């Protein structure tokens, strides 16, 4: 009897929904790459590299940590890629809940690890800019992943980075207000923009097909006419 119970327990543990959910996702690889990106940002992030800009008087000189931060922000969203991605798009509430908890836990762990490693070497003001940029990159990746699929979550952040780095520079090492990856750490417009991009990504993630149909139905439903007095 003991052997039978033990085998039953082992089979249940192996085939539990949570284990199966995590088995098809690269969570460990994403955490490992996050550690690597954090180490690169900490030790080589202050190296300056020239990039072309839209202004006439030359090129901008940017630190490497600005480029690395984009990769760190996109990673947790790329980890949603799995063979079950199409199923989860129209999944039951239980599977969708596991995906939400997975994304929340992994993204929180990634940003905490990344910022902690960066904070060992980089100045606190630089770490604050990295944290603000991470929020924006994560929101853009969520938006792209929800629309194009999780494998293509990097496309919108990459396109946005090209726009920011080429047109965001205004000369003399100054940047336009919307260049959230380079403005000073206490710049409020960049902070508001980063949280707006995060909010857009969260709304896009929450707008599953069945939710969109429900929202459209609620908006198109005729409103009851007020009662008329006799």
């Amino acid at each position: 009897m003991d052997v039978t119970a033990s085998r039953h327990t082992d089979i249940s543990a192996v085939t539990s929904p949570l284990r199966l959910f995590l088995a098809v996702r690269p969570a460990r690889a994403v955490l490992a790459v996050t550690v690597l990106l954090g180490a690169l940002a900490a030790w080589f992030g202050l190296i300056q590299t020239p990039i072309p800009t839209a202004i006439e008087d030359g090129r901008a000189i940017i630190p490497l940590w600005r480029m690395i931060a984009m990769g760190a922000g996109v990673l947790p969203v790329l980890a949603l890629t799995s063979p079950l991605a199409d199923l989860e798009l129209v999944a039951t509430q239980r599977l969708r809940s596991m995906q939400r908890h997975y994304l929340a836990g992994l993204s929180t762990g990634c940003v905490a690890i990344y910022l902690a490693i960066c904070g060992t070497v980089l100045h606190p003001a630089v770490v604050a800019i990295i944290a603000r940029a991470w929020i924006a990159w994560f929101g853009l990746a969520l938006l792209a992943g929800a629309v194009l699929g999780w494998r293509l979550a990097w496309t919108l952040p990459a396109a946005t980075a090209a726009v920011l780095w080429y047109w965001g520079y205004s000369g003399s090492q100054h940047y336009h207000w919307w260049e959230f990856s380079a403005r000073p750490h206490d710049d409020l417009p960049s902070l508001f923009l980063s949280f707006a991009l995060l909010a857009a990504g969260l709304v896009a993630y929450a707008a599953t097909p069945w939710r969109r149909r429900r929202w459209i139905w609620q908006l198109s439903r005729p409103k009851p006419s007020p009662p008329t007095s006799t």
Side-chain angles (χ1 to χ4, degrees):
M1 294 295 294
D2 294 339
V3 175
T4 304
S6 177
R7 288 178 179 176
H8 179 73
T9 303
D10 293 341
I11 294 174
S12 300
V14 172
T15 59
S16 67
L18 181 59
R19 285 178 178 269
L20 292 175
F21 182 87
L22 296 176
V24 295
R25 284 167 176 78
R28 294 181 180 178
V30 167
L31 291 174
V33 175
T34 299
V35 172
L36 176 61
L37 291 179
L40 291 175
W43 298 107
F44 302 104
L46 295 179
I47 296 176
Q48 305 283 333
T49 181
I51 60 171
T53 62
I55 63 173
E56 298 179 356
D57 60 349
R59 298 186 174 190
I61 306 296
I62 70 170
L64 289 179
W65 59 258
R66 284 180 57 193
M67 300 180 180
I68 300 173
M70 183 190 69
V74 172
L75 270 179
V77 182
L78 288 176
L80 289 175
T81 302
S82 79
L84 304 177
D86 294 336
L87 173 63
E88 291 166 5
L89 195 60
V90 291
T92 61
Q93 184 175 359
R94 183 179 183 185
L95 189 58
R96 185 70 175 178
S97 177
M98 284 193 293
Q99 188 190 64
R100 287 197 305 268
H101 286 88
Y102 170 79
L103 177 63
L106 185 62
S107 58
T108 301
C110 284
V111 69
I113 292 172
Y114 184 71
L115 294 179
I117 296 175
C118 291
T120 59
V121 175
L122 300 179
H123 192 275
V126 174
V127 177
I129 299 174
I130 293 175
R132 182 185 66 204
W134 189 96
I135 292 172
W137 297 130
F138 180 74
L140 287 168
L142 270 180
L143 182 58
V147 175
L148 303 175
W150 302 121
R151 292 181 184 275
L152 298 176
W154 57 271
T155 54
L156 185 57
T160 303
V163 172
L164 292 181
W165 298 340
Y166 188 75
W167 282 284
Y169 184 64
S170 60
S172 302
Q173 294 303 308
H174 291 87
Y175 300 86
H176 295 293
W177 66 268
W178 38 267
E179 222 296 22
F180 56 80
S181 69
R183 295 283 296 179
H185 69 281
D186 56 351
D187 186 66
L188 289 180
S190 296
L191 181 64
F192 292 150
L193 177 59
S194 296
F195 277 104
L197 293 174
L198 175 63
L202 292 174
V203 170
Y205 174 77
T208 55
W210 59 271
R211 276 205 177 104
R212 288 197 296 267
R213 288 193 295 268
R214 187 178 66 182
W215 293 344
I216 293 173
W217 177 78
Q218 290 178 346
L219 291 174
S220 61
R221 185 177 58 178
K223 297 181 179 179
S225 57
T228 58
S229 58
T230 56

